[in-house]
């Protein structure tokens, strides 16, 4: 049901922007439906479950008690939480991969530790068995993993090799005589580290190790390895480990380290979808190329990055809902009216801090829904091709770093925007910020992931030139150089300046056009990629060492190009989402939010646009002034835009966003008003004669 009558645009304001009737407002119910994305019922059901206090984090709880509480909650989820959706029907699932992640992303409302522990159990441990194993593995290992009868460990990362999985040191050597694999940790740096469930609760692990048989190393494969006696919870013979100890956040999860001293497991404990060993020790694989086999195996685990992207969006939404709600109630410093103080969200700088982050959060949310749809298309089998899998992996590698960094920034700014109240644990902002911190480095270090995206952009650029002969390639390169030279001369900037003279509205009007924003964002990505490709051309004829050194010299530019690409993806997703908003006034307000996001990106990279001649100095000034106008325009709708996220107090659980601050302010205002009316107010010293 709509909460606002649909109203068309009726006029134009003094900046040349469309203006709506004075009573226009966000249709919160409609916008909430749009924001729920592809799985509205599943998300709402998960939120209802997370409103149950049985799942809520108890702030300040000692680590051992927090860990046990989260384990109990995990078992409650297994019984009540519909957590098996992505698994086959014969194991109680529905083959619904996107729906599984949509529900997972909502768990952060209760406690991010519960969210991540469930991700370890079902998103990593059980999913590795499912995606990397065959039917024999499924029958043997999935029932215990899904029911949490077997709390599991996903043992990939090593102390000495985090994101570089291909270089891990743990070995799994096949013994033909006993038909067993021998799992071994050859040196200290090969200890498995930072593993959820490893310190206390885990009784089995999916261990990633180098498969060696008949003297040949066939690269990294996954093995199911029991690690603890289920009755005593003591390590099994040959298995050792230790607690990682107190962490910066997520202390409801028992992270720890594991090592193996020639631990023997049956040959059939190899998760053998992509590689197997016969009883005689012969290695077999449906994929001949070791490199392609490795990346195919890791590609099946991309859901971790997809889910973290969505979880980061939820965290940013929570933080902004708390901060903007508080900012709409907290009063500070005198206004022009006698005895009245100003609501802090009315201050321009407060709007500058929070509203661009709100716009970026909307963009991140819409981009995540597109990522979730791509993920479900691939894993459902509807569009499962090598190309679509590569596209999915690239998209996840672009968005996960962008959204997790954004969430960290948003939570920190939200905390500061709430002053001392934001620092109190009861208001959750510091706890959410601490729990989110590790999101930037697990399931792939953000910088490393962006490097992968940059390499894909370079590969795509190279493919675009492959069909050209040497003469045409030279012509393209020359045209690109001429284009760069043209933009870096004063001519283009002068043309912009002349066209804008005497009419700032014309400059602002062009900047708010969808085509102008797209051109500026696309041009930055394309130019950066082409410049890097040109700089790296000598590596084609260089030695391996020289080529590596040249690539390293341009690594920063490559990462920045990948970030620009991710920002463009978010902007495009936001722009496409506007078409799904059917209420005209809501769509107009959301278009302003999109414009704020796009122009904030341009302002963020204004130096690049100026140095590369894409904007004149005059038009660059217009970017900032138009952002200021957008902030003022969006200020009246800020509360509606966060209310549309659909969170109740049971999800926020922050007293400063509960209405308590408004009650305090109203009480204070009433007190001073009564004092003035009665004539009892003391006379300020400066007015006393």
């Amino acid at each position: 049901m709509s909460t606002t009558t649909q109203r068309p645009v009726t006029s134009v304001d003094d900046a040349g922007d469309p203006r709506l009737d004075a009573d226009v407002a966000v249709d919160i119910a409609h916008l909430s439906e749009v924001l729920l994305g592809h799985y509205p019922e599943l998300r709402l059901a998960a939120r209802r479950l997370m409103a149950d206090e049985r799942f809520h984090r108890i702030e300040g709880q000692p680590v051992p008690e927090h860990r046990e509480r989260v384990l109990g909650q995990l078992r409650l989820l297994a019984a009540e939480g519909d957590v098996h959706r992505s698994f086959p029907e014969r194991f109680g699932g529905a083959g619904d991969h996107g729906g599984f992640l949509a529900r997972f992303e909502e768990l952060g409302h209760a406690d991010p530790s519960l969210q991540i522990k469930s991700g370890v159990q079902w998103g990593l441990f059980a999913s590795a068995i499912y995606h990397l194993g065959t039917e024999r593995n499924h029958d043997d290992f999935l029932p215990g993993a899904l029911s949490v009868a077997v709390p599991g460990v996903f043992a990939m990362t090593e102390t000495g090799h985090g994101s570089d999985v291909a270089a891990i040191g743990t070995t799994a050597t096949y013994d033909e005589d006993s038909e067993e694999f021998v799992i071994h940790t050859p040196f200290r740096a090969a200890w498995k580290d930072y593993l959820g469930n490893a310190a206390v609760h885990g009784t089995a692990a999916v261990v990633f190790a180098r498969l060696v048989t008949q003297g040949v190393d066939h690269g990294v494969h996954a093995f199911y390895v029991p690690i603890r006696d289920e009755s005593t919870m003591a390590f099994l013979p040959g298995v050792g480990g230790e607690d990682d100890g107190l962490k910066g956040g997520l202390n409801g999860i028992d992270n720890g380290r594991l090592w193996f001293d020639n631990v023997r497991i049956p040959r059939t404990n190899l998760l053998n979808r992509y590689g197997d060993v016969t009883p005689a020790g012969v290695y077999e694989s449906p994929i001949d190329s070791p490199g392609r086999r490795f990346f195919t195996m890791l590609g099946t685990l991309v859901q971790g990055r997809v889910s973290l992207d969505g979880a980061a969006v939820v965290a940013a939404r929570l933080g902004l809902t708390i901060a903007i709600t508080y900012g709409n109630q907290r009063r500070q410093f005198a206004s022009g009216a006698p005895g009245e103080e100003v609501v802090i969200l009315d201050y321009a700088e407060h709007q500058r801090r929070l509203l661009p982050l709100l716009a970026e959060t909307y963009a991140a949310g819409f981009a995540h829904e597109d990522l979730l749809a791509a993920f479900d298309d691939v894993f459902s089998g509807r569009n499962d091709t090598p190309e679509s899998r590569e596209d999915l992996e690239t998209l996840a590698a672009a968005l996960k770093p962008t959204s997790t960094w954004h969430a960290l920034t948003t939570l920190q700014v939200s905390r500061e925007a709430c002053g001392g109240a934001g620092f109190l644990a009861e208001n959750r902002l510091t706890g959410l910020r601490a729990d989110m911190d590790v999101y930037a480095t697990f399931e792939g270090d953000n910088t490393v992931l962006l490097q992968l995206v940059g390499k894909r952009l370079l590969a795509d650029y190279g493919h675009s030139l492959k069909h050209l002969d040497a003469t045409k390639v030279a012509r393209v390169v020359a045209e690109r150089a001429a284009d760069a030279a043209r933009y870096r001369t004063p001519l283009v900037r002068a043309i912009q300046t002349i066209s804008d003279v005497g009419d700032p509205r014309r400059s602002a009007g062009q900047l708010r056009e969808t085509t102008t924003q797209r051109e500026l964002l696309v041009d930055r990505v394309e130019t950066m990629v082409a410049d890097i490709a040109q700089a790296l051309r000598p590596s084609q004829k260089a030695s391996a060492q020289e080529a590596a050194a040249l690539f390293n010299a341009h690594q920063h530019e490559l990462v920045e190009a990948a970030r620009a690409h991710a920002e463009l993806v978010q902007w495009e997703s936001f722009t496409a989402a506007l078409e799904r908003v059917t209420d005209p006034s809501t769509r107009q307000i959301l278009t302003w939010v999109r414009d704020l996001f796009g122009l904030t990106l341009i302002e963020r990279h204004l130096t690049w646009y100026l140095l590369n001649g894409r904007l004149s100095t005059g038009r660059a000034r217009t970017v900032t002034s138009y952002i200021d106008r957008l902030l003022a325009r969006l200020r009246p709708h800020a509360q509606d835009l966060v209310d549309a996220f659909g969170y109740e107090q049971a999800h926020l659980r922050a007293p400063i966003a509960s209405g308590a601050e408004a009650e305090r302010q109203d009480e204070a205002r009433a007190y001073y008003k009564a004092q003035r009316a009665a004539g009892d107010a003391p006379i300020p010293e400066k007015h006393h004669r």
Side-chain angles (χ1 to χ4, degrees):
M1 293 289 294
S2 295
T3 59
T4 304
T5 302
Q6 293 188 4
R7 293 184 178 275
V9 174
T10 58
S11 60
V12 174
D13 68 12
D14 59 4
D17 294 312
R19 180 167 53 204
L20 300 172
D21 287 342
D23 61 347
V24 72
V26 174
D27 185 335
I28 297 175
H30 172 51
L31 183 53
S32 293
E33 291 175 5
V34 173
L35 292 173
L36 285 170
H38 302 295
Y39 302 96
E41 294 305 319
L42 292 176
R43 288 191 183 278
L44 290 173
R47 288 183 192 178
R48 286 193 292 270
L49 190 62
M50 291 304 101
D52 187 332
E53 63 182 12
R54 293 178 300 165
F55 295 99
H56 294 173
R57 173 176 175 169
I58 299 174
E59 298 295 342
Q61 192 172 31
V63 170
E65 294 177 21
H66 192 189
R67 287 175 170 182
E68 294 308 311
R69 179 175 175 83
V70 171
L71 177 63
Q73 292 169 335
L74 192 73
R75 290 187 164 133
L76 278 175
L77 276 181
E80 304 178 22
D82 192 23
V83 294
H84 303 161
R85 292 193 67 83
S86 64
F87 296 92
E89 291 183 12
R90 69 190 184 96
F91 293 106
D96 181 3
H97 301 276
F100 170 78
L101 291 194
R103 288 183 63 87
F104 166 84
E105 293 155 10
E106 302 296 330
L107 302 185
H109 298 120
D111 185 349
S113 284
L114 173 60
Q115 182 179 60
I116 298 306
K117 196 172 182 79
S118 71
V120 170
Q121 183 68 27
W122 295 301
L124 293 176
F125 177 62
S127 288
I129 295 169
Y130 176 42
H131 291 298
L132 300 181
T134 55
E135 192 167 316
R136 79 180 189 198
N137 305 130
H138 300 166
D139 292 338
D140 289 345
F141 309 131
L142 268 183
L146 293 176
S147 68
V148 201
V150 178
V153 179
F154 185 77
M156 175 185 281
T157 300
E158 295 182 355
T159 305
H161 286 94
S163 297
D164 189 4
V165 179
I168 61 174
T170 304
T171 56
T173 305
Y174 185 64
D175 180 352
E176 298 172 22
D177 295 334
S178 63
E179 296 187 15
E180 293 174 319
F181 283 101
V182 181
I183 310 296
H184 186 62
T185 305
F187 43 80
R188 176 61 184 82
W191 279 28
K192 298 296 182 180
D193 211 343
Y194 318 116
L195 313 176
N197 284 339
V200 180
H201 298 144
T203 58
V206 170
V207 178
F208 288 79
R210 315 187 70 80
L211 191 159
V212 179
T213 183
Q214 298 181 340
V216 178
D217 180 349
H218 293 281
V220 177
H221 289 65
F223 302 81
Y224 185 94
V225 183
I227 61 172
R228 281 189 176 91
D229 182 287
E230 294 182 13
S231 59
T232 67
M233 295 304 291
F235 280 123
L236 294 171
V239 181
E242 61 188 32
D243 197 322
D244 274 328
L246 186 68
K247 306 185 298 292
L250 296 177
N251 280 300
I253 306 171
D254 55 317
N255 292 89
R257 307 179 180 99
L258 294 175
W259 52 262
F260 306 92
D261 183 7
N262 295 302
V263 174
R264 290 179 172 268
I265 59 172
R267 178 182 66 87
T268 52
N269 280 28
L270 166 65
L271 303 183
N272 65 330
R273 179 178 177 183
Y274 296 108
D276 204 356
V277 174
T278 68
V282 177
Y283 180 79
E284 300 173 338
S285 174
I287 303 175
D288 292 334
S289 166
R292 189 159 61 87
R293 186 189 313 133
F294 171 73
F295 285 110
T296 301
M297 290 173 60
L298 290 192
T300 64
L301 305 174
V302 70
Q303 71 179 30
R305 293 169 186 169
V306 177
S307 64
L308 291 185
D309 177 55
V313 172
V314 169
R317 287 174 173 174
L318 284 170
L320 286 167
T321 301
I322 294 168
I324 287 176
T325 301
Y326 181 72
N328 259 329
Q329 298 175 5
R330 179 76 161 90
R331 293 177 179 274
Q332 187 80 22
F333 301 112
S335 68
E340 287 290 327
E341 291 185 294
V342 178
V343 174
I344 60 175
L345 195 58
D346 284 344
Y347 289 111
E349 185 61 19
H350 211 72
Q351 296 165 25
R352 253 286 180 172
R353 298 171 76 185
L354 292 175
L355 297 189
L357 293 175
L358 179 61
E360 190 168 349
T361 299
Y362 264 80
F366 289 130
H368 175 68
E369 284 300 318
D370 290 344
L371 173 60
L372 199 57
F375 168 77
D376 193 65
D377 275 350
V378 168
F379 277 73
S380 68
R382 289 190 301 270
N383 182 27
D384 188 3
T385 65
E387 293 77 16
S388 62
R389 280 189 175 257
E390 187 178 7
D391 289 343
L392 170 63
E393 291 160 13
T394 303
L395 185 58
L399 293 181
K400 182 264 184 179
T402 309
S403 62
T404 53
W405 274 329
H406 166 67
L408 289 171
T409 298
T410 298
L411 290 167
Q412 180 62 29
V413 173
S414 295
R415 203 293 296 161
E416 294 178 22
C418 293
F423 196 60
L424 298 180
E426 68 175 7
N427 290 315
R428 296 192 67 197
L429 293 171
T430 54
L432 285 170
R433 173 64 173 76
D435 286 339
M436 282 294 302
D437 203 340
V438 74
Y439 282 45
T441 51
F442 73 5
E443 292 301 309
D445 178 276
N446 282 357
T447 301
V448 174
L449 290 179
L450 288 178
Q451 184 171 302
L452 295 176
V453 175
K455 288 180 178 178
R456 172 68 189 275
L457 294 175
L458 285 176
D460 286 351
Y461 180 81
H463 291 325
S464 71
L465 301 179
K466 261 190 174 179
H467 66 286
L468 304 178
D469 59 29
T471 302
K472 291 180 179 177
V473 170
R475 186 180 305 142
V476 168
V477 172
E479 288 172 353
R480 193 79 209 181
D483 181 65
R486 178 173 65 89
Y487 274 112
R488 286 166 182 155
T489 62
L491 177 61
V492 172
R493 296 191 295 275
I495 292 172
Q496 281 187 14
T497 301
I498 292 169
S499 69
D500 295 340
V501 165
D503 192 357
R505 289 170 48 180
R506 180 181 302 161
S507 178
Q510 288 182 331
L511 287 170
R512 73 165 177 268
E513 290 176 1
T514 299
T515 53
T516 301
Q517 292 177 37
R518 178 178 285 117
E519 286 171 1
L520 287 169
L521 296 173
V522 169
D523 179 53
R524 183 165 182 263
V525 177
E526 291 183 344
T527 301
M528 293 174 81
V529 172
D531 286 350
I532 297 166
Q534 180 68 11
L536 294 179
R537 285 188 74 197
S539 66
Q540 297 173 358
K541 298 180 180 179
S543 67
Q545 187 174 5
E546 291 171 334
L550 184 61
F551 182 86
N552 190 53
H554 294 279
Q555 190 175 41
H556 177 68
E557 295 100 304
L558 188 70
V559 169
E560 288 302 300
R563 295 185 76 157
H565 169 75
E567 292 167 349
L568 172 61
V569 168
Q570 290 183 327
W571 183 92
E572 291 285 12
S573 289
F574 199 153
T575 300
L578 293 173
E579 299 303 316
R580 302 196 292 272
V581 182
T582 57
D583 174 59
S585 59
T586 303
R587 185 170 59 248
Q588 178 60 74
I589 293 166
L590 213 58
T591 300
W592 292 335
V593 178
R594 192 283 314 269
D595 291 347
L596 177 59
F597 174 60
L599 294 179
T600 298
L601 292 178
I602 293 167
E603 185 185 53
R604 185 181 299 168
H605 306 300
L606 209 51
T607 299
W608 187 92
Y609 287 106
L610 286 167
L611 290 178
N612 287 275
R614 267 54 175 185
L615 289 175
S616 66
T617 304
R619 190 163 294 185
R621 292 194 188 98
T622 307
V623 173
T624 296
S625 63
Y626 190 55
I627 286 174
D628 292 338
R629 285 201 293 272
L630 284 171
L631 293 172
R633 187 170 292 119
L634 289 170
R635 163 64 185 97
H637 309 291
Q639 191 66 52
D640 290 345
L641 289 168
V642 294
D643 287 348
F645 294 148
Y647 299 149
E648 302 170 3
Q649 275 305 310
H651 303 122
L652 298 174
R653 301 193 307 285
I656 56 171
S658 68
E661 180 62 30
E663 291 177 5
R664 284 193 291 269
Q665 295 294 330
D666 289 344
E667 180 187 19
R669 294 166 75 196
Y671 172 82
Y672 288 118
K673 182 177 180 181
Q675 199 179 50
R676 289 193 302 272
D680 294 336
I683 300 172
E685 180 183 353
K686 64 181 179 180
H687 296 156
H688 179 65
R689 296 291 183 268

